[in-house]
Amino acid sequence: MSKIDEVKATVEKGKAKLVGGLVQEALNEGNSADDVLQAMIGAMGVVGGKFSTGEIFVPEMLIAGKTMQKGVEVLRPVLAGKDSVSLGKCIIGTVEGDLHDIGKNLVALMIESAGFEVIDLGVDVSADKFMEAIKANPDVKIVACSALLTTTMPAMKATVAAVKDSSLTGFKVMVGGAPITPEFADEIGADAYTPDAGAAAVKAKELAS
Ligand code: B1M
């Protein structure tokens, strides 16, 4: 089994204590950080599939999530080849009712690496909390909302509506997350949709320039 396959299997099994060492070994063998990351994202897909079929339950899903986060910590310095130019502030959060933050954290990491100062509001962020953060940071350039549940897509819609219907200006709103589509982003009036963290960083730079 290749080191990358070992990383993937370790995330799937939720072996949090082993993952850091294996990720480092995979990097030492010359694998790119992106390939290791994609393997871990693939593992979470397998975990999600097993949850859907009732093979595993929430605790196992939670442990796999924690394992992936530990793996990402080892990749962080490699992924964050920080751009020294300051492109301004980005406020990011997972919308109200949604506790998923692994993808949101990756988006935050990549946007920070692209040269933004990231203000991470965390998970379960209400439209009001997004508004308060924007008011407290009137120079914000990007507001980024993540959602992982179909049931929290309405909260994303409410957040974008609150922000867009306010008198606050000077920033663009980006959305993303597994259930979000370009059509949904258009429908709710977001300025941009991107499918993954890398694309989000590229789009944020484009929107802020
Ligand atoms: Co949950 N969960 N979960 N979960 N979970 C999913 C999302 C699910 C698809 C699993 C399944 O059924 N197959 C399903 C949602 C079904 C649906 O809505 N249609 C689901 C469910 C049902 C639930 C609960 C309701 C389960 C329950 O309690 N019965 C519950 C909800 C809790 C809540 O939020 N209120 C729940 C809970 C959890 C845990 C807490 C146990 C844990 C989260 C831990 C954590 O985040 N700290 C968890 C996990 C781990 C998952 C899966 C297995 C993995 C998610 C993940 O981290 N993926 C997930 C199944 C899956 O995704 N296949 C699942 C890896 C991550 C890198 O990908 O977050 O998609 P992702 O991010 C991507 C892109 O989406 C994008 O970039 C990232 C890649 O570069 N992206 C953006 C994300 N945000 C973006 C923002 C952008 C741009 C791109 O611009 C702003």
Side-chain angles (χ1 to χ4, degrees), residues 35-52:
D35 284 349
V36 181
L37 180 62
Q38 292 311 322
M40 290 197 285
I41 291 175
M44 296 311 280
V46 174
V47 168
K50 285 185 177 168
F51 176 76
S52 295

Side-chain angles (χ1 to χ4, degrees), residues 61-135:
M61 205 158 59
L62 188 60
I63 291 166
K66 287 194 168 146
T67 305
M68 167 143 187
Q69 277 170 327
K70 283 202 179 295
V72 170
E73 277 314 305
V74 178
L75 290 183
R76 174 177 277 275
V78 191
L79 289 172
K82 205 170 162 77
D83 201 321
S84 56
V85 185
S86 174
L87 297 175
K89 289 180 184 169
C90 167
I91 291 172
I92 190 166
T94 303
V95 300
E96 187 164 26
D98 202 321
L99 303 176
H100 296 85
D101 67 357
I102 299 174
K104 183 267 295 168
N105 291 345
L106 281 175
V107 173
L109 172 63
M110 297 309 280
I111 287 183
E112 189 179 346
S113 308
F116 288 86
E117 178 191 339
V118 172
I119 299 166
D120 190 343
L121 304 179
V123 296
D124 190 19
V125 183
S126 66
D128 283 351
K129 279 195 200 151
F130 271 104
M131 293 286 287
E132 278 168 29
I134 297 167
K135 283 179 192 156

Side-chain angles (χ1 to χ4, degrees), residues 3-4 60 70 80 120 127 172-173 180 183-184:
K3 225 23 114 185
I4 287 230
E60 288 96 328
K70 283 202 179 295
D120 190 343
K172 301 283 186 195
V173 180
I180 310 303
E183 292 75 26
F184 179 73

Side-chain angles (χ1 to χ4, degrees), residues 28 45 81 105 110 117 139 146 165-166 178 189 191 201:
N28 293 348
N105 291 345
M110 297 309 280
E117 178 191 339
D139 55 344
S146 175
D165 293 347
S166 74
D191 296 303

